[in-house]
Amino acid sequence: EISISRRTVGPASKPRYGARSIMGQMSVQPLFSSGVDPLKTIAWTQREVTLQGAERKVVVITAPESWSMTAVSVFASHYLRVVDGVRETHFGAAVNRLAETISGWALADGYVDAEAAQNLRHELAYMLIHQMWSPNSPVWYNVGTVKRPQISACYIQHLADAMDGDDGIIALQSAETRLFRRGSGTGTNHSNLRPEGYPISVGGTASGPVSFMRGFDATAGAIKSGGSTRRAAKMVILNDDHPDIEKYVDSKVDVEHMAWDLVDAGHSSDYNGKTYANLALQNANHSVGVSDAFMEAVAADALWTLTYGGIPARTIRARELWERIVRAAHFCGDPGLQFRDTINHWHTSPSGGAIVGSNPCAEFVYIDDSACNLAAHNLRQYQRHAAHPYARRMHDANPSLVNTLDVDALRHGVGVSILVQDVLVSRASYPTPAIEINSLKYRPLGMGYANLGALLMSVGLGYDTDAGRALAGAITSFIGAEAYRVSKQIARVKGVNFAQNCADGAAMRRVLSQHAQAAQRLVEQANHVVSQRDAPPALSGYTGYVAAQAAAMAIEAHSVWVGVMNADTLPRNGQVTLLAPTGTTGLAMGCDTTGIEPDYALVKHKNLAGGGYLKIVNQTVKAALMTLGYTSAQISAISDYIEKTEKIEGAPELDAKHLPVFDCAGRCAELTDAPGERYLVPHAHLRMMAAVQPFLSGAISKTVNTPYETSIEEIGQLYSEAWKLGLKCVAIYRDGSKANQPLCGARPPRFNHKHPHV
């Protein structure tokens, strides 16, 4: 566990709320590692790897024997770095670089004593090398390679209506450049920029936000993130009442029409190729900042006033703007929506201003000029059947617990993560003074998880089931409550920062109370699922046991929420959890599914930045079939069928009632001549997001996948439902609606310039 030790280094009296009092240091128990360097206890093997990227260079590296070839390839391509002029070729060197550096910082900065620092080093190395946990990519890129590394993956920056100044257009472009080159992404709300045609002080008229977005986008496209081959990541936002909102909504539609025309004329559809490199607005996700007032005006078919600087510009029908947004999203996937009032309802830090922006994937929603370092737990490595030494040591003797989550292990992993992430905040470099000030004051963290879809599959639960949502909610609630509990302990060691402010303290307690109320509702929902075991779809035997465990975890999480809410000392961190996409980190951890996503298909073809692709075969199906009671011979036959056909529908000896367990976001085998028919209905994605959102500090990076034939009206219904369900952000992608998409099992009907213009 992570706790405050009894060894004090200052006054031991209980502090009143808001008072700074050092009570001790953090105690770190060697739960996973048993106090032994884990890098000395695993089997290593040499692998020949073709590095991803433009060079496609073949190298020989030393990797853990247990890692899949996909995980080895991704880790070697991205996370083996040049240190002191020498490129790493041993995975242990990269892991040790992080574990030694971070535990050393924790010791030097007074979080832990020497004994706890050594334990932290071993626990951190264990979690990394056994693919239990990973920080965001900039930590792998930069920690241990430079003195003051860029550590956060996610930034939100302010933009003023000025060319010059610390938060002007030129300053933002410079700051973005520094972030992109070290592997981070950034987002900015552009609503402060005056509309096109408005007069400017030096004479002439403004060119408007969209024109500057094109300039920022060109810079981003010229820079490779972190020295790798992927493009820089950006988010741009414009609020629903800005006079240029219609131009903004149409901007990506116009460019995507050009892309289709070029592809139809014979140009490459490769998103790394010349076609997309020469088109504008290809490096940013676009979102509209939507208010409750706008959504209510849409529902009432009322008029909507566009304003700038508090002065009305013109009036339009709210529903006409809504329909424009929906048609654009249907055509090309942009814009997404960010529900501003919902986001600020969960705002813990009002002294920093209202939340108006997000990072590129919209999971980090926080104040302007802020940064967030992310981390993710691989949920399947916290199952009792996991292959790493701790799981074998603890659980092999009790086979009845196979596949269920080890709650004690998860609690410990959360503690290590929050401690490490808070240490990183103080040791990071920041691109601007404003971001540094806010980072050190509010200390937002972004811990989450990956592999939820695979976890549910492995325990025999479909993604679109009440039991699956109850388990996901319980996990998220438990992780969030434990994260704030550890943050509170760190506050007692290091001192509370932002929450000493009266307004922030009240806001933090209000938000913690909202989490606790949601946790109580989850307890009732989870218990209801358990009580419905005999109702269709029946939960019996093992899956019934899993549902009962979810209810027990929900009860424990609620207790922790209440304890944190009522504690004298408030958490040190303005935010602690969110759900990131975990793309590269998830692949490096051997995950079948990323973030909160279900699997996209049982066999996927992923186009890689820099060229080439990975064929990724789901590795969880066998575990799921075992859970569902199939014999070894049946599992072998079904697995062979999947390898051959890229789908499970029609597999020999598979009971049709089990098909929902294996449903994916898209139709399986769509690159073959016999594609599958089943897929998760789009509302399943929203229902899962709604099940976990109340337990997250931030938001959720999640694509609501829809099939090609989804109508414009259905897209509108999904966006409206997302708002009603209390989601903070939502993005929808209709399969095949771009001339190129990086993850596919899809061969949808083509549409091009002949498609009606939107």
Side-chain angles (χ1 to χ4, degrees):
E1 274 196 35
I2 306 295
S3 61
I4 298 175
S5 71
R6 294 182 180 178
R7 298 180 296 276
T8 60
V9 294
S13 60
K14 187 175 183 180
R16 292 176 298 172
Y17 164 62
R20 180 178 174 86
S21 178
I22 299 177
M23 294 192 62
Q25 292 174 300
M26 302 297 288
S27 173
V28 182
Q29 301 301 318
L31 181 69
F32 298 142
S33 65
S34 298
V36 177
D37 184 349
L39 301 181
K40 296 180 179 179
T41 64
I42 68 170
W44 299 94
T45 184
Q46 288 192 326
R47 308 267 188 105
E48 189 176 88
V49 174
T50 301
L51 297 179
Q52 301 165 18
E55 291 184 72
R56 310 292 294 167
K57 182 179 179 182
V58 178
V59 298
V60 176
I61 51 86
T62 303
E65 189 175 67
S66 61
W67 284 32
S68 72
M69 197 61 213
T70 296
V72 168
S73 175
V74 170
F75 190 97
S77 297
H78 290 273
Y79 298 153
L80 295 181
R81 309 299 284 179
V82 175
V83 182
D84 296 329
V86 179
R87 178 168 291 279
E88 294 168 331
T89 59
H90 197 297
F91 282 26
V95 169
N96 200 48
R97 168 166 54 85
L98 267 59
E100 278 197 346
T101 303
I102 295 170
S103 61
W105 287 341
L107 175 62
D109 293 349
Y111 287 85
V112 296
D113 62 14
E115 178 184 345
Q118 182 75 342
N119 288 340
L120 179 61
R121 175 180 174 271
H122 290 157
E123 293 298 279
L124 183 53
Y126 186 100
M127 293 166 67
L128 293 171
I129 204 65
H130 290 293
Q131 300 172 296
M132 299 178 73
W133 175 87
S134 177
N136 53 212
S137 291
V139 171
W140 286 108
Y141 295 158
N142 304 321
V143 167
T145 66
V146 294
K147 185 177 180 180
R148 295 286 292 185
Q150 185 171 300
I151 284 173
S152 296
C154 301
Y155 293 80
I156 303 170
Q157 298 184 85
H158 182 70
L159 177 60
D161 184 41
M163 291 298 296
D164 299 314
D166 292 341
D167 55 359
I169 292 168
I170 295 172
L172 177 62
Q173 191 163 40
S174 175
E176 286 190 348
T177 300
R178 291 194 295 274
L179 290 174
F180 295 149
R181 68 185 295 266
R182 290 291 183 183
S184 302
T186 183
T188 301
N189 190 313
H190 287 63
S191 298
N192 285 336
L193 295 183
R194 70 190 65 193
E196 182 181 351
Y198 272 45
I200 55 178
S201 60
V202 296
T205 58
S207 57
V210 175
S211 68
F212 286 107
M213 290 175 192
R214 292 174 183 272
F216 288 131
D217 186 81
T219 300
I223 300 169
K224 306 293 187 182
S225 281
S228 67
T229 57
R230 61 176 181 166
R231 288 173 174 168
K234 275 177 56 66
M235 169 68 78
V236 295
I237 303 158
L238 203 68
N239 290 346
D240 52 19
D241 58 354
H242 192 282
D244 282 359
I245 186 64
E246 293 139 312
K247 297 182 182 70
Y248 172 71
V249 169
D250 288 347
S251 60
K252 276 213 170 180
V253 173
D254 295 338
V255 172
E256 193 61 27
H257 271 293
M258 297 177 195
W260 281 110
D261 288 343
L262 289 168
V263 171
D264 287 341
H267 294 277
S268 171
S269 65
D270 180 6
Y271 72 102
N272 292 297
K274 292 181 179 179
T275 303
Y276 277 94
N278 286 288
L279 290 173
L281 305 177
Q282 296 304 306
N283 302 290
N285 294 321
H286 285 204
S287 288
V288 175
V290 174
S291 62
D292 287 350
F294 174 72
M295 296 300 293
E296 291 161 359
V298 171
D301 196 15
L303 295 177
W304 182 248
T305 301
L306 306 180
T307 66
Y308 181 73
I311 301 173
R314 55 194 171 90
T315 299
I316 61 174
R317 284 184 58 229
R319 194 168 290 178
E320 287 182 354
L321 175 56
W322 173 257
E323 290 171 352
R324 199 176 199 123
I325 291 169
V326 170
R327 288 198 304 269
H330 179 268
F331 186 77
C332 66
D334 279 291
L337 301 183
Q338 299 192 7
F339 301 111
R340 291 184 284 154
D341 293 312
T342 302
I343 290 168
N344 282 282
H345 179 64
W346 295 86
H347 189 6
T348 64
S349 322
S351 68
I355 298 173
V356 298
S358 81
N359 73 315
C361 297
E363 74 272 16
F364 177 49
V365 287
Y366 202 54
I367 61 174
D368 279 358
D369 296 318
S370 60
C372 186
N373 65 77
L374 312 181
H377 297 276
N378 178 358
L379 292 178
R380 291 219 63 208
Q381 291 295 73
Y382 289 92
Q383 289 177 282
R384 288 182 169 88
H385 84 299
H388 55 84
Y390 168 80
R392 291 197 300 266
R393 183 170 75 243
M394 295 297 295
H395 305 298
D396 271 0
N398 191 347
S400 67
L401 297 177
V402 67
N403 272 3
T404 57
L405 279 171
D406 183 336
V407 175
D408 291 333
L410 186 57
R411 178 185 293 109
H412 181 70
V414 168
V416 171
S417 180
I418 293 299
L419 174 57
V420 165
Q421 289 176 267
D422 194 73
V423 169
L424 291 173
V425 170
S426 297
R427 289 288 181 154
S429 66
Y430 298 96
T432 69
I435 293 176
E436 181 169 12
I437 289 169
N438 283 340
S439 296
L440 296 178
K441 179 180 181 181
Y442 298 105
R443 312 183 76 83
L445 309 179
M447 186 185 66
Y449 53 71
N451 234 4
L452 174 69
L455 172 77
L456 295 177
M457 187 183 292
S458 75
V459 298
L461 295 177
Y463 192 86
D464 188 19
T465 61
D466 289 340
R469 287 184 284 271
L471 179 55
I475 292 168
T476 313
S477 182
F478 180 83
I479 285 176
E482 284 293 324
Y484 269 130
R485 181 184 67 82
V486 175
S487 176
K488 179 197 67 171
Q489 291 183 326
I490 298 174
R492 297 180 70 187
V493 171
K494 301 294 290 182
V496 174
N497 289 313
F498 78 96
Q500 292 175 342
N501 176 287
C502 184
D504 289 334
M508 173 61 85
R509 288 197 187 278
R510 174 182 58 80
V511 171
L512 289 172
S513 175
Q514 291 168 191
H515 286 304
Q517 292 170 30
Q520 178 59 50
R521 291 192 296 271
L522 175 64
V523 170
E524 297 167 2
Q525 294 162 4
N527 282 328
H528 178 73
V529 168
V530 174
S531 72
Q532 299 297 306
R533 286 191 187 189
D534 297 327
L539 292 173
S540 59
Y542 183 76
T543 51
Y545 178 78
V546 171
Q549 189 200 35
M553 188 183 298
I555 292 170
E556 185 170 354
H558 175 254
S559 176
V560 178
W561 281 118
V562 171
V564 174
M565 176 184 70
N566 292 325
D568 289 339
T569 303
L570 285 172
R572 174 172 166 86
N573 308 96
Q575 293 191 350
V576 288
T577 58
L578 48 72
L579 288 179
T582 65
T584 303
T585 55
L587 288 172
M589 287 193 292
C591 297
D592 273 331
T593 62
T594 58
I596 192 180
E597 300 281 2
D599 205 349
Y600 183 80
L602 296 181
V603 179
K604 300 171 289 298
H605 302 265
K606 180 177 175 61
N607 294 324
L608 299 173
Y613 72 93
L614 286 175
K615 180 178 179 180
I616 306 170
V617 181
N618 186 295
Q619 300 299 306
T620 306
V621 172
K622 293 180 181 179
L625 292 170
M626 186 180 300
T627 295
L628 295 170
Y630 289 86
T631 66
S632 296
Q634 289 172 322
I635 293 172
S636 179
I638 294 170
S639 299
D640 289 345
Y641 178 87
I642 294 172
E643 287 277 356
K644 180 180 178 181
T645 67
E646 301 190 0
K647 62 182 179 181
I648 198 168
E649 295 162 72
E653 301 190 67
L654 180 73
D655 192 327
K657 71 181 181 183
H658 292 148
L659 281 171
V661 174
F662 305 98
D663 281 345
C664 298
R667 296 182 179 94
C668 290
E670 284 195 347
L671 284 175
T672 73
D673 292 325
E677 296 182 358
R678 298 182 62 92
Y679 61 92
L680 289 165
V681 297
H683 282 277
H685 300 270
L686 296 181
R687 288 190 286 264
M688 181 58 78
M689 294 172 74
V692 305
Q693 180 63 83
F695 311 111
L696 296 167
S697 300
I700 305 167
S701 174
K702 170 83 179 73
T703 301
V704 178
N705 298 98
T706 74
Y708 172 81
E709 58 270 19
T710 302
S711 69
I712 294 173
E713 292 73 21
E714 288 170 323
I715 298 290
Q717 291 168 7
L718 290 167
Y719 270 164
S720 180
E721 186 67 15
W723 174 63
K724 293 175 183 177
L725 288 171
L727 302 185
K728 294 180 179 179
C729 305
V730 64
I732 294 175
Y733 183 73
R734 183 171 65 91
D735 194 24
S737 63
K738 291 186 76 68
N740 182 284
Q741 56 191 49
L743 190 64
C744 57
R747 189 169 56 185
R750 281 289 309 277
F751 74 92
N752 52 27
H753 59 279
K754 297 178 183 178
H755 191 280
H757 197 285
V758 295

